[in-house]
Amino acid sequence: MSKILILEDEDSIRSFVVVNLKRQGYEITEAVTGDEALELLKQDDSFDIALLDVMVPGIDGFEVCRQVREFNERIGIIFLTAKVQEQDKVMGLSLGADDHIGKPFSPGELMARIGSLLRRVRRQPAGGEDSGTLRSGPFEIHSEKVELRKNGERIDLTPTEFALIQRLIEKEGKPLSRNDLLDEIWGVQYIGDPKIVDVNIRRLRQKVEEDPSAPKFIETVWGFGYRWQGRDAST
């Protein structure tokens, strides 16, 4: 049974979400303040997903996300918030969130986003089969261990970052469009902002590139998408 924490201070919204999640068989823990949510996540590392509102008592959802990513890269994080301005979306994703759902939302949209993220949290390789170890230049990616290493040093990745870089390395040298990456990583039913791809690419570059402003490994294919060039970059 998947475990989900929901941080939401409005009783009606929290009850709506909890009822729908329990109907799907999820184990739910509730929090109404940012401090409470953070403490629960520190005490229990078995949560699969955290659903975070932004405007809550105590520390806000952004700060909860930022602090959680300091000690837990594995958990999936989705913001459920009425803050739908572009800068708010980018802020949440830049802090390490995997997705952003604007209020109001339907049960169907929520369940689809959670299902997609759970597949990333559970580290299911594309096609449902383990692809073993991939090597590219100084990088090794291990599907079974859910691990990326550069020159032997492990790089901590969120569920979405791992799925994204795994796909890029699998298709090394081949340009992948933003739409293709959206469909393959977030799912064909994803109806959120396609810029989520670009934000995750920026986060990956911060972790794998020597100089993120002049990337050697994750190349931008202007007007199209991105391409992995690990082997060429290492020569």
Side-chain angles (χ1 to χ4, degrees), residues 11 79 109 120 144 171 209 224 226:
D11 293 341
F79 279 112
E109 179 185 6
R120 281 171 264 154
E144 290 183 348
K171 298 295 184 179
E209 301 280 0
F224 185 75
Y226 299 96

Side-chain angles (χ1 to χ4, degrees), residues 4-22:
I4 298 177
L5 179 139
I6 174 169
L7 167 61
E8 171 61 65
D9 64 321
E10 293 189 33
D11 293 341
S12 59
I13 297 176
R14 191 174 66 257
S15 297
F16 167 79
V17 174
V18 169
V19 166
N20 281 280
L21 292 177
K22 285 186 174 180

Side-chain angles (χ1 to χ4, degrees), residues 31-52:
V32 296
T33 72
D35 302 274
E36 181 185 5
L38 183 59
E39 189 61 29
L40 287 167
L41 292 167
K42 285 180 177 179
Q43 293 174 356
D44 186 352
D45 65 357
S46 66
F47 286 104
D48 298 290
I49 289 178
L51 304 177
L52 306 179

Side-chain angles (χ1 to χ4, degrees), residues 13-214:
I13 297 176
R14 191 174 66 257
S15 297
F16 167 79
V17 174
V18 169
V19 166
N20 281 280
L21 292 177
K22 285 186 174 180
R23 284 176 180 169
Q24 299 299 315
Y26 296 121
E27 180 181 341
I28 307 302
T29 298
E30 303 174 45
V32 296
T33 72
D35 302 274
E36 181 185 5
L38 183 59
E39 189 61 29
L40 287 167
L41 292 167
K42 285 180 177 179
Q43 293 174 356
D44 186 352
D45 65 357
S46 66
F47 286 104
D48 298 290
I49 289 178
L51 304 177
L52 306 179
D53 188 14
V54 174
M55 302 303 293
V56 292
I59 61 174
D60 65 19
F62 288 149
E63 180 62 15
V64 173
C65 179
R66 188 192 68 78
Q67 291 195 38
V68 167
R69 283 301 182 221
E70 292 180 352
F71 61 85
N72 189 338
E73 292 280 5
R74 182 199 64 81
I75 191 172
I77 296 177
I78 300 176
F79 279 112
L80 304 178
T81 176
K83 294 175 72 66
V84 294
Q85 296 298 316
E86 186 68 24
Q87 62 266 29
D88 296 318
K89 295 179 183 178
V90 173
M91 168 71 79
L93 297 172
S94 298
L95 289 171
D98 297 279
D99 207 346
H100 181 290
I101 304 177
K103 298 176 181 176
F105 49 85
S106 68
E109 179 185 6
L110 178 61
M111 296 309 147
R113 300 285 191 92
I114 288 174
S116 175
L117 181 52
L118 278 174
R119 287 189 288 274
R120 281 171 264 154
V121 170
R122 292 166 180 167
R123 314 297 203 199
Q124 294 182 357
E129 297 180 359
D130 185 68
S131 55
T133 300
L134 295 174
R135 294 180 175 83
S136 178
F139 295 91
E140 289 186 352
I141 189 165
H142 304 273
S143 296
E144 290 183 348
K145 295 180 180 179
V146 194
E147 190 174 86
L148 175 72
R149 290 184 176 272
K150 180 181 180 182
N151 295 319
E153 295 291 326
R154 177 172 176 149
I155 299 174
D156 290 327
L157 301 175
T158 68
T160 298
E161 291 167 350
F162 184 87
L164 183 57
I165 200 167
Q166 181 181 36
R167 190 58 176 160
L168 288 168
I169 292 177
E170 286 173 345
K171 298 295 184 179
E172 178 162 2
K174 178 181 178 181
L176 297 176
S177 72
R178 289 176 178 83
N179 287 337
D180 285 343
L181 290 169
L182 269 177
D183 290 347
E184 293 170 9
I185 307 303
W186 285 268
V188 294
Q189 302 299 321
Y190 185 76
I191 58 175
D193 191 336
K195 290 183 180 178
I196 194 170
V197 176
D198 303 310
V199 177
N200 275 275
I201 289 292
R202 287 200 293 272
R203 288 199 332 231
L204 275 174
R205 282 173 170 164
Q206 292 290 333
K207 294 182 177 183
V208 306
E209 301 280 0
E210 285 83 3
D211 181 0
S213 63

